[in-house]
C-alpha cells in the first residue's frame, strides 16, 4: 500500500464543465471569459470515469465534489456522472456545490441516491424557484441540504490568488496543497481551489494515477514551502481573505 492508503486527501474536486451562468463579483468568472458558454470545456466522460474508478480502487472515503468554477448542474450529464461516481466510490462522501439555478424537485429526487450533501448558495436576490419548490415539498428544510447566501461569502471573501481586486489579509502559511486534490475540466492537476487560471499544474490525470498525483514530488515541495510560509508562487504569496461591501 502506498501514500494514498496512509493519508488520503480530505477533498477531491473534479470540474466537469467550465461554464457558469452567473458572473458574481467575488468570482474570477466576473473578470475573465473562461466561464462563458462559448468558451466551455467539458471533461470527457472517460476521463471522469478514470478518476473516480481510480479513487474507488484506492478506497477513497473522504469528500468528492464535481465542481471548480463551473456550475455542475449546467452539465446535463451530471446525474449520470454522479451515479457513476457513487458506484465507483461507495465509501466517499459526495457533496454537490451548486447555485441552485438549474435545480428542480424532479432533478433533486434523481440526484438524491448519489449525493450525500447539497451545498446550495443563493447568488441572486431571491431563492431559485426550484429550490423554493423543494423546500416547500419538504416542510422548509431537508437533511441533505445546506443553504447559504452570497452575503456569507462576502463577509470573508477570497481574492482567488490575487485575481479579485479586494483588500485582504494575506495568508501567513497554507496547508491546502497537502490536504486537497483539484482537477480542472482539462484533466490538469492544479495547485488548489484558488488557481482559477491553472497557473501551476502538476501534470494531467490522463497520464497519471491518483496515487502518483497525490505523491507528486513537485507538489510536495510546494506544500512544504507553503506550510512554512515560504511562498514560492506568486498566487500563493498574494492569496488572502477580506470583507467585500
Amino acid at each position: 500500500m502506498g501514500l494514498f492508503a496512509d493519508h488520503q486527501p480530505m477533498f477531491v474536486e473534479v470540474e466537469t464543465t467550465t461554464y457558469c451562468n452567473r458572473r458574481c463579483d467575488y468570482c474570477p468568472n466576473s473578470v475573465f471569459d473562461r466561464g462563458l458558454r462559448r468558451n466551455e470545456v467539458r471533461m470527457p466522460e472517460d476521463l471522469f470515469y478514470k478518476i473516480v474508478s481510480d479513487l474507488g480502487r484506492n478506497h477513497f472515503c473522504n469528500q468528492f465534489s464535481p465542481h471548480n468554477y463551473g456550475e455542475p448542474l449546467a452539465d446535463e450529464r451530471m446525474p449520470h456522472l454522479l451515479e457513476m461516481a457513487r458506484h465507483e466510490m461507495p465509501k466517499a462522501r459526495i457533496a454537490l456545490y451548486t447555485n441552485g439555478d438549474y435545480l428542480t424537485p424532479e432533478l433533486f429526487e434523481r440526484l438524491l441516491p448519489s449525493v450525500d450533501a447539497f451545498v446550495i448558495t443563493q447568488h441572486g436576490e431571491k431563492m431559485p424557484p426550484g429550490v423554493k419548490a423543494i423546500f416547500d415539498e419538504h416542510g422548509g428544510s431537508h437533511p441533505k441540504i445546506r443553504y447559504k447566501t452570497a452575503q456569507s461569502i462576502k463577509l470573508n471573501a477570497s481574492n482567488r490568488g490575487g485575481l479579485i481586486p479586494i483588500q485582504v489579509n494575506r495568508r501567513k502559511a497554507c496547508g491546502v496543497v497537502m490536504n486537497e486534490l483539484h482537477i480542472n475540466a482539462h484533466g490538469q492537476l492544479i495547485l488548489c481551489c484558488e488557481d482559477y487560471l491553472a497557473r501551476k499544474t502538476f501534470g494531467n490525470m490522463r497520464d497519471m494515477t491518483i496515487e502518483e498525483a497525490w505523491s507528486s514530488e513537485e507538489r510536495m515541495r510546494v506544500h512544504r514551502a507553503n506550510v512554512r510560509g515560504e511562498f514560492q508562487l506568486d498566487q500563493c504569496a498574494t492569496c488572502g481573505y477580506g470583507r467585500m461591501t
Side-chain angles (χ1 to χ4, degrees):
M1 302 293 282
L3 176 63
F4 195 93
D6 296 329
H7 172 62
Q8 294 188 356
M10 295 301 297
F11 302 97
V12 176
E13 294 184 350
V14 178
E15 181 181 51
T16 72
T17 176
T18 59
Y19 171 69
C20 184
N21 61 308
R22 288 192 173 268
R23 299 289 172 267
C24 305
D25 58 1
Y26 39 80
C27 176
N29 280 332
S30 67
V31 180
F32 300 92
D33 62 4
R34 180 182 187 271
L36 299 179
R37 180 67 87 181
R38 69 171 183 265
N39 297 328
E40 183 181 18
V41 174
R42 290 191 172 188
M43 176 175 284
E45 186 174 320
D46 66 319
L47 179 54
F48 184 85
Y49 175 77
K50 177 183 182 295
I51 294 168
V52 296
S53 61
D54 203 3
L55 285 164
R57 281 193 298 271
N58 281 275
H59 309 288
F60 182 63
C61 62
N62 290 325
Q63 182 165 301
F64 175 88
S65 295
H67 81 285
N68 187 27
Y69 287 92
E71 166 51 43
L73 293 183
D75 185 347
E76 70 277 359
R77 304 173 301 167
M78 190 51 59
H80 169 62
L81 295 177
L82 287 171
E83 288 169 1
M84 182 191 303
R86 171 53 67 212
H87 181 267
E88 297 299 322
M89 302 182 298
K91 300 176 182 177
R93 178 182 186 270
I94 297 179
L96 180 65
Y97 288 74
T98 175
N99 59 32
D101 292 345
Y102 295 87
L103 197 58
T104 64
E106 295 76 20
L107 180 56
F108 180 69
E109 292 299 325
R110 184 177 175 189
L111 294 171
L112 268 177
S114 303
V115 178
D116 296 295
F118 294 79
V119 183
I120 304 173
T121 303
Q122 176 186 317
H123 295 286
E125 294 183 0
K126 296 181 179 180
M127 180 181 291
V131 177
K132 184 179 185 303
I134 293 167
F135 280 139
D136 288 346
E137 287 185 8
H138 293 274
S141 65
H142 191 281
K144 283 193 174 184
I145 294 179
R146 174 188 167 201
Y147 193 82
K148 57 183 180 176
T149 66
Q151 189 59 34
S152 64
I153 297 174
K154 291 186 174 185
L155 289 175
N156 192 33
S158 168
N159 70 350
R160 300 302 182 185
L163 298 182
I164 302 297
I166 59 173
Q167 292 284 346
V168 297
N169 295 314
R170 293 184 181 177
R171 294 177 185 266
K172 296 181 179 179
C174 180
V176 169
V177 176
M178 184 59 197
N179 293 310
E180 305 175 7
L181 286 179
H182 297 268
I183 302 163
N184 67 17
H186 298 274
Q188 296 170 310
L189 178 62
I190 60 176
L191 177 67
C192 69
C193 61
E194 311 288 5
D195 195 9
Y196 174 83
L197 296 176
R199 288 180 284 178
K200 179 60 182 176
T201 66
F202 302 104
N204 195 290
M205 294 307 300
R206 282 205 176 277
D207 308 315
M208 68 176 87
T209 66
I210 203 73
E211 173 80 17
E212 290 167 339
W214 187 232
S215 59
S216 160
E217 291 185 8
E218 184 181 12
R219 198 181 68 84
M220 293 302 293
R221 282 197 297 272
V222 171
H223 159 68
R224 292 184 183 112
N226 282 3
V227 294
R228 294 194 298 267
E230 299 170 1
F231 299 123
Q232 299 172 354
L233 301 173
D234 289 343
Q235 60 264 49
C236 296
T238 58
C239 190
Y241 285 82
R243 188 185 182 104
M244 295 185 73
T245 57

